[in-house]
Amino acid sequence: FKGKRLSKPSFLAIFMLILSAELVKTASEYDPYYTLGVSRSASQAEIKRAYKRLAREWHPDKNKDPNAEDMFIRISKSYEILSNEERRSNFDRFGQKDENQHFGQSQHHGFRSFHSSFYFDESFFHFPRNRDFSDSKYMLRLAQFNNEVLPDSHKRPYLIKVTSEWCFACIHIEPVWKETVQELEPLGVGIGIVDLGFDRALAKQLGAYRAPSIIGVVNGKVTFFHQAVVREFLRQFVEDLLPQKLVMKITDDNYMAFLENWHVENKPRVLLFDQVPIVPLLYKLTAFAFRDYVRFGFVDQSGTSSTRLLLQFNINTYAPTMLLFKEDTVKPVDIIQARGMKRQMMNEFVSNNKFLQVPRLVSQQLFDELCPVKQFHRRRKYCVLLITGDDPAYLAANKAFLDFASANSKDVLRFAYVYQRQQQPLCQALLQNQGAHSAQVVILERRSQTGKVLYRSVSGGWNGSEEDKYHLHEQLELLQKDPTYLTSDATLPELNNEMAPVSIFIIRWMNAAYDYMLQIYDDLLYSNWREMMPILSLIFSALFIVFGTVIIQAFSEPGESKPQKPKPKPKDRPPKKDFVEVTELTGITYTSNLVKLRPGHINVLLVLTNASKSALLRKFAKEVFSFSGSETLHFSFLNADKHRHWMSSLLRLDRDGAQSQSHSDDEEESSNYMGYVLALNGHKKYFCLFRPVFTGDDGSDSSSDTSFSSDSRRKSRSKSRSKVHHKLDRLGLWMERLMEGTLPRIRVPAWPTLFDDTAEG
């Protein structure tokens, strides 16, 4: 075309060619069919296969291409449109990709200006758009949120918008968001924007899983906005985030109590006079920022409840007025009045007066702010501390110290007082463990964060007399001329927090529990199910267990027409009685206690003699007491002196016809079985045998040795009887093995007959 001038038709043709190429390229690039590589007549199965293949290929965790994440989002968005028949139909008919967009709307927003590179409107197709309204200024990252926003949320609320590049609804709320930010940011509200695709970790921490979402953050607590995105609703949302009772309504009836309460709360008081019936948001935000230092009150000038107040302080009703009071409740220490009161003006007004003239040291934080550590030689700050008491006897001295501080206020001097009773460790360190019967004045300079100070006590104490004032003034003059005047040093302990008693912690815990319940209610009301799933799962699991148990118990109760077998009870339950019932095995009880014993029941039988009966029964009862709670165990004893042959007959049955032993000596035989214990199962005809512990006295108790005297024989028999009960020392372990079923079982064909051997002869 060099040297030739293009005609208008040629220029228009070139323009239309470029425009058509750009539009074809853009349309094909953002066409969901083109993105997934399927035809317009593709079935759902083909679309799904194409989506899975591309999703695996372009997943950001597997594909290191810089554009992988954008491509993956584009693939997911395309699949969302084509997998939904209704949205797919809308796209085929109208080119509509947003399900919230009205039909036919695409025909009215076809093109943008030429300098926008011929892009389609953003409400139909996704294109890289420049973030207007300085979005980059408010963009938040995870580290910035945790290190800056969360700590700062204890001083001012934050309003955060959650958005993403593929969020079409975010574009619709953009004008409202812009107006809201322009209104709230000058008032002191923090603004932030979180991009779901830009910082997923932060979105996960906030619990934001969809866009657009609007979140409020105050005192580190995250709250979601659930109403329609209207500027008035957003403003009210921010106002509701603030704690209640930040600002007290003041009238003619309560203003004196409000001003005089400085002594209890140890804070200055601020009064705002305005012609509106409700507290302005700007004033609430200022009160929230300085709530730890100053108490705020609001006076409505439009009503009749504050007439006396307006006259007393000569308030101009044509402009908002702020008065700041300290110890003097009659005359304010500072006043500002302006029609358009700005945030910076209010912050400077309160910040310059956030301490009383002579505040009381009630915490380490207050001590650090009033008396900071020395950093530079030219910025020395001395703390003049009055150690006094809260008794009425100290009132005159305290008032005189306040008057002296008011008259000698300087930038390098900070006056404060402390109650000796509440801060004993601090006072003992400064007074060197010497109790003060009157108020004392100490001048100190902090030298390190570890508590090291240089100080000097003003001699003579402090009574508030003119002589004391002159002496203190003289000491302060010497100090400013010669910093080495402070000759003593000490390491101060940390101050007790007088404003944090146990009741305060309980109230804070109750408030936290109340806020948590409100959060659960909001989540349930507005169906924030993803965040509520763990809690709901826990609640429904507990309800299922409780109601399931009740239903099972209701249906398991025995009916009138359906008798039910008694439930088996555990064998190792604790005994019902405080004694063991042991019956004697005789010819009368032999059949019921052994031969015809019920199935599953066991009779634990102790073999004893007349001489060992008392000792062995006591030991036997002690060893088996813990097992007496079982209903399948019975306890008996067999007197071997009466039934000498029963044990030998029982053991002979187990020997399968072995040669029997000689039983010529009956008394020796009976002594040999003394202390034996048998667990007899009468139904299955077997027994388990416990052999007694050998004690060395199993032989005859008598002796033929005539060399022993009668006293020696009596001592020998007494010693022998004292050893008898040791035969059952290991019975408890044997009983445990019996209950476990690990003892060897000796089977017999039949139970031997029980004869009374004392009747023979």
Side-chain angles (χ1 to χ4, degrees):
F1 301 103
K2 188 175 181 180
K4 294 183 179 180
R5 185 175 181 179
L6 294 177
S7 61
K8 290 185 178 180
S10 300
F11 180 80
L12 289 176
I14 294 173
F15 173 80
M16 293 303 297
L17 181 62
I18 296 174
L19 177 61
S20 301
E22 186 72 23
L23 293 178
V24 169
K25 176 184 175 182
T26 304
S28 61
E29 184 180 357
Y30 294 97
D31 184 352
Y33 292 103
Y34 177 81
T35 302
L36 295 181
V38 296
S39 63
R40 289 184 173 267
S41 60
S43 63
Q44 288 293 332
E46 294 174 339
I47 293 173
K48 188 173 184 180
R49 283 196 300 270
Y51 165 71
K52 287 185 175 181
R53 176 177 55 80
L54 293 173
R56 284 194 299 267
E57 179 183 353
W58 290 97
H59 196 282
D61 295 338
K62 298 180 180 180
N63 195 320
K64 302 305 179 182
D65 192 302
N67 299 322
E69 185 172 353
D70 292 338
M71 187 62 185
F72 182 77
I73 295 175
R74 190 181 305 164
I75 293 168
S76 301
K77 189 66 178 180
S78 300
Y79 180 69
E80 288 180 9
I81 296 173
L82 299 184
S83 61
N84 187 305
E85 291 295 344
E86 183 179 355
R87 297 182 65 182
R88 181 180 180 181
S89 176
N90 292 339
F91 176 79
D92 291 341
R93 296 172 59 192
F94 307 108
Q96 178 187 355
K97 294 175 68 175
D98 185 3
E99 61 184 1
N100 297 322
Q101 185 180 353
H102 299 293
F103 295 141
Q105 190 176 359
S106 61
Q107 300 173 3
H108 301 288
H109 298 275
F111 302 96
R112 284 198 170 185
S113 58
F114 178 78
H115 67 271
S116 298
S117 300
F118 316 111
Y119 283 7
F120 281 108
D121 192 276
E122 294 170 357
S123 59
F124 306 124
F125 295 97
H126 168 72
F127 296 99
R129 55 188 178 93
N130 295 326
R131 295 186 180 273
D132 57 351
F133 190 45
S134 304
D135 278 1
S136 58
K137 171 185 175 182
Y138 304 105
M139 288 297 294
L140 296 177
R141 297 302 301 267
L142 180 62
Q144 179 188 4
F145 177 80
N146 290 327
N147 298 331
E148 299 178 12
V149 175
L150 281 182
D152 196 40
S153 68
H154 293 270
K155 297 180 180 179
R156 61 171 177 164
Y158 272 80
L159 193 65
I160 299 175
K161 181 183 70 171
V162 180
T163 183
S164 70
E165 288 291 342
W166 283 89
C167 173
F168 303 113
C170 300
I171 302 172
H172 299 160
I173 69 170
E174 189 74 19
V176 179
W177 173 259
K178 179 178 179 180
E179 294 175 0
T180 305
V181 171
Q182 289 176 340
E183 177 186 1
L184 297 182
E185 189 177 21
L187 301 182
V189 179
I191 304 298
I193 295 178
V194 176
D195 195 317
L196 287 176
F198 186 64
D199 198 331
R200 297 181 182 179
L202 176 55
K204 183 178 180 181
Q205 178 176 322
L206 292 172
Y209 301 98
R210 61 177 180 269
S213 295
I214 295 179
I215 299 173
V217 182
V218 170
N219 289 328
K221 177 188 173 185
V222 175
T223 305
F224 279 82
F225 175 75
H226 296 293
Q227 299 180 359
V229 183
V230 181
R231 187 176 62 175
E232 290 75 14
F233 290 168
L234 288 172
R235 179 189 176 95
Q236 188 62 43
F237 171 67
V238 172
E239 196 164 347
D240 293 340
L241 291 175
L242 300 174
Q244 300 295 323
K245 299 181 180 179
L246 273 176
V247 181
M248 183 177 178
K249 289 291 187 71
I250 303 300
T251 63
D252 291 339
D253 299 328
N254 63 354
Y255 83 96
M256 281 306 299
F258 173 77
L259 296 178
E260 292 176 352
N261 208 33
W262 68 266
H263 189 272
V264 177
E265 296 186 356
N266 199 39
K267 295 178 182 179
R269 334 299 275 177
V270 173
L271 285 179
L272 173 67
F273 295 80
D274 205 347
Q275 288 280 1
V276 292
I278 60 174
V279 183
L281 179 58
L282 174 61
Y283 192 58
K284 286 186 177 181
L285 293 171
T286 306
F288 178 72
F290 294 95
R291 67 189 184 281
D292 294 333
Y293 303 97
V294 181
R295 193 75 168 92
F296 292 81
F298 176 74
V299 181
D300 178 16
Q301 299 180 117
S302 60
T304 59
S305 59
S306 57
T307 306
R308 190 173 10 143
L309 261 173
L310 300 178
L311 293 175
Q312 179 173 346
F313 297 109
N314 193 22
I315 301 300
N316 184 355
T317 58
Y318 297 101
T321 306
M322 290 183 69
L323 307 182
L324 192 142
F325 297 84
K326 293 187 177 181
E327 287 88 349
D328 190 353
T329 59
V330 177
K331 183 179 179 181
V333 296
D334 204 352
I335 302 174
I336 59 170
Q337 190 175 46
R339 284 189 180 275
M341 201 167 289
K342 303 296 183 181
R343 170 190 167 221
Q344 183 178 0
M345 182 189 304
M346 297 179 69
N347 286 349
E348 290 179 357
F349 175 75
V350 178
S351 180
N352 294 333
N353 298 280
K354 64 180 183 179
F355 297 116
L356 294 171
Q357 191 72 40
V358 183
R360 179 162 61 96
L361 297 183
V362 295
S363 66
Q364 185 65 34
Q365 179 184 355
L366 182 59
F367 187 35
D368 293 339
E369 294 193 51
L370 282 174
C371 304
V373 176
K374 171 185 171 293
Q375 295 179 350
F376 303 101
H377 178 73
R378 296 182 178 179
R379 294 186 179 180
R380 292 181 181 271
K381 287 188 181 296
Y382 301 102
C383 190
V384 184
L385 183 63
L386 174 67
I387 300 176
T388 182
D390 54 354
D391 299 332
Y394 292 95
L395 289 179
N398 297 346
K399 180 64 169 59
F401 188 76
L402 173 61
D403 295 339
F404 179 85
S406 302
N408 295 273
S409 178
K410 295 181 180 180
D411 186 50
V412 296
L413 297 178
R414 295 290 177 87
F415 293 88
Y417 71 99
V418 62
Y419 285 150
Q420 185 173 0
R421 186 182 304 172
Q422 280 79 2
Q423 302 291 344
Q424 289 185 2
L426 173 71
C427 298
Q428 289 174 359
L430 293 175
L431 299 178
Q432 298 180 351
N433 296 323
Q434 297 178 359
H437 301 288
S438 62
Q440 301 286 330
V441 176
V442 177
I443 307 171
L444 60 89
E445 179 187 17
R446 299 186 65 192
R447 304 305 294 263
S448 70
Q449 295 288 354
T450 58
K452 184 179 179 181
V453 297
L454 296 178
Y455 73 97
R456 182 170 185 142
S457 299
V458 179
S459 59
W462 177 266
N463 296 320
S465 63
E466 293 298 326
E467 182 181 355
D468 290 341
K469 293 180 180 179
Y470 176 79
H471 185 50
L472 178 57
H473 185 272
E474 186 180 43
Q475 300 284 324
L476 294 176
E477 291 292 334
L478 290 174
L479 175 63
Q480 296 182 48
K481 294 178 181 178
D482 183 12
T484 61
Y485 180 73
L486 303 179
T487 56
S488 302
D489 59 49
T491 300
L492 301 182
E494 187 170 343
L495 272 69
N496 301 325
N497 191 352
E498 300 178 24
M499 294 300 179
V502 178
S503 59
I504 297 297
F505 286 112
I506 296 176
I507 293 173
R508 288 179 179 176
W509 181 85
M510 294 177 62
N511 290 336
Y514 175 73
D515 292 339
Y516 185 69
M517 295 301 296
L518 284 181
Q519 183 68 33
I520 294 177
Y521 172 76
D522 289 341
D523 290 337
L524 289 174
L525 182 63
Y526 297 106
S527 303
N528 198 353
W529 298 111
R530 175 170 282 185
E531 301 171 37
M532 289 299 300
M533 279 305 295
I535 299 176
L536 292 176
S537 176
L538 179 63
I539 294 174
F540 282 113
S541 298
L543 292 176
F544 178 78
I545 293 173
V546 171
F547 285 105
T549 304
V550 172
I551 292 173
I552 291 174
Q553 289 180 350
F555 282 97
S556 63
E557 291 179 358
E560 297 179 358
S561 61
K562 209 179 264 189
Q564 207 171 21
K565 293 182 179 180
K567 296 180 180 179
K569 297 182 180 179
K571 297 181 179 181
D572 55 347
R573 62 181 182 177
K576 293 182 178 180
K577 303 177 182 179
D578 56 356
F579 62 91
V580 180
E581 185 176 350
V582 183
T583 60
E584 184 177 1
L585 195 65
T586 64
I588 299 175
T589 61
Y590 185 69
T591 302
S592 60
N593 286 358
L594 178 58
V595 178
K596 294 185 177 180
L597 193 64
R598 285 181 294 175
H601 287 238
I602 294 177
N603 193 344
V604 182
L605 180 68
L606 168 68
V607 181
L608 49 76
T609 62
N610 289 328
S612 62
K613 180 177 180 180
S614 177
L616 285 181
L617 277 179
R618 283 198 298 269
K619 182 66 173 179
F620 180 73
K622 180 179 179 182
E623 293 291 330
V624 303
F625 175 75
S626 60
F627 304 94
S628 60
S630 174
E631 293 185 352
T632 61
L633 291 182
H634 306 273
F635 302 97
S636 305
F637 70 90
L638 177 71
N639 194 329
D641 291 338
K642 295 180 181 180
H643 311 284
R644 289 190 293 268
H645 299 292
W646 189 83
M647 275 293 295
S648 59
S649 301
L650 179 65
L651 297 178
R652 193 181 301 115
L653 291 173
D654 179 52
R655 297 188 186 115
D656 297 328
Q659 187 178 3
S660 63
Q661 297 177 351
S662 175
H663 302 289
S664 59
D665 193 350
D666 293 336
E667 184 172 351
E668 181 180 356
E669 184 181 78
S670 68
S671 298
N672 286 340
Y673 296 122
M674 179 181 63
Y676 275 63
V677 179
L678 299 92
L680 306 168
N681 190 318
H683 179 72
K684 293 188 176 181
K685 295 183 177 63
Y686 72 82
F687 67 92
C688 302
L689 182 63
F690 170 80
R691 298 181 185 275
V693 179
F694 177 73
T695 59
D697 60 336
D698 294 341
S700 178
D701 290 341
S702 62
S703 178
S704 60
D705 192 352
T706 58
S707 63
F708 287 145
S709 64
S710 60
D711 291 340
S712 298
R713 287 196 297 270
R714 281 196 300 271
K715 291 180 180 179
S716 178
R717 285 194 295 270
S718 176
K719 185 177 180 181
S720 177
R721 284 194 297 269
S722 66
K723 292 183 178 180
V724 169
H725 72 279
H726 289 296
K727 290 178 175 291
L728 303 180
D729 280 349
R730 299 178 183 174
L731 181 59
L733 297 176
W734 183 83
M735 288 293 298
E736 290 182 3
R737 293 185 60 192
L738 173 66
M739 301 302 292
E740 294 172 357
T742 58
L743 290 175
R745 298 177 179 180
I746 305 172
R747 299 192 178 274
V748 294
W751 297 111
T753 306
L754 185 67
F755 294 104
D756 190 351
D757 296 336
T758 59
E760 296 180 359

